[in-house]
Amino acid sequence: MRAIRTTFLIGPVLGLALVGCYDRRDKAPEAAPPPETAPVLAGVDLGKPVRALGTEPFWSVEITPDTLIYTRMDQPTQRAPNRGATVQGTVATYATSTDLNAAMNVVLIATECSDGMSDRTYPLTARVEIGDDTLSGCAASASALKVAPAP
């Protein structure tokens, strides 16, 4: 029986011996890198909801941190996962596929835009390629559009 007690004591003693080998003067662990900030394009924070819209035909794409929602008057609403924007200079591109299996690319360009039907100007020009359609329009942060609705 004595041999069994010795075996049980060896584990804790070795564990304490190993802990004692750590030298606190060793290099401290590095801090985690700061979280990536969302890109900003023409003053629009792409990490927050953005709305792209166009006329003739009337369409819109709501871009949220998780989802892109495409609506058009003559078609069913389509949803797609937001995989994030690829930003190159003054252009941000969202590439995804909708729940109706349509490829969708939303391109936002940092150039001022007018919708052609009102006096409103938007900070971004938008182009949406969905299926075989290519649509042109404008975009801004969703919060800016709520504060100053179109005339």
Side-chain angles (χ1 to χ4, degrees), residues 4-18:
I4 293 173
R5 286 185 192 165
T6 304
T7 304
F8 284 117
L9 290 176
I10 290 176
V13 171
L14 281 177
L16 288 175
L18 291 175

Side-chain angles (χ1 to χ4, degrees), residues 99-119:
D99 54 355
L100 297 179
N101 296 322
M104 180 167 66
N105 292 316
V106 178
V107 179
L108 304 176
I109 305 162
T111 58
E112 199 170 82
C113 179
S114 171
D115 62 15
M117 294 188 72
S118 69
D119 293 332

Side-chain angles (χ1 to χ4, degrees), residues 32-145:
E36 287 189 34
T37 57
V40 175
L41 196 62
V44 177
D45 183 348
L46 300 182
K48 296 184 177 175
V50 174
R51 184 169 185 220
L53 51 95
T55 59
E56 299 180 27
F58 289 100
W59 60 271
S60 71
V61 176
E62 298 290 333
I63 303 170
T64 70
D66 299 321
T67 310
L68 280 72
I69 305 166
Y70 167 76
T71 56
R72 185 168 155 174
M73 291 182 66
D74 57 346
Q75 296 178 356
T77 297
Q78 297 185 54
R79 295 177 177 275
N82 183 347
R83 297 185 176 114
T86 300
V87 179
Q88 294 180 329
T90 59
V91 178
T93 303
Y94 295 85
T96 189
S97 259
T98 72
D99 54 355
L100 297 179
N101 296 322
M104 180 167 66
N105 292 316
V106 178
V107 179
L108 304 176
I109 305 162
T111 58
E112 199 170 82
C113 179
S114 171
D115 62 15
M117 294 188 72
S118 69
D119 293 332
R120 170 181 256 169
T121 57
Y122 301 80
L124 301 170
T125 298
R127 185 179 75 238
V128 176
E129 299 165 350
I130 184 161
D132 295 331
D133 293 333
T134 299
L135 306 164
S136 297
C138 303
S141 69
S143 61
L145 294 175

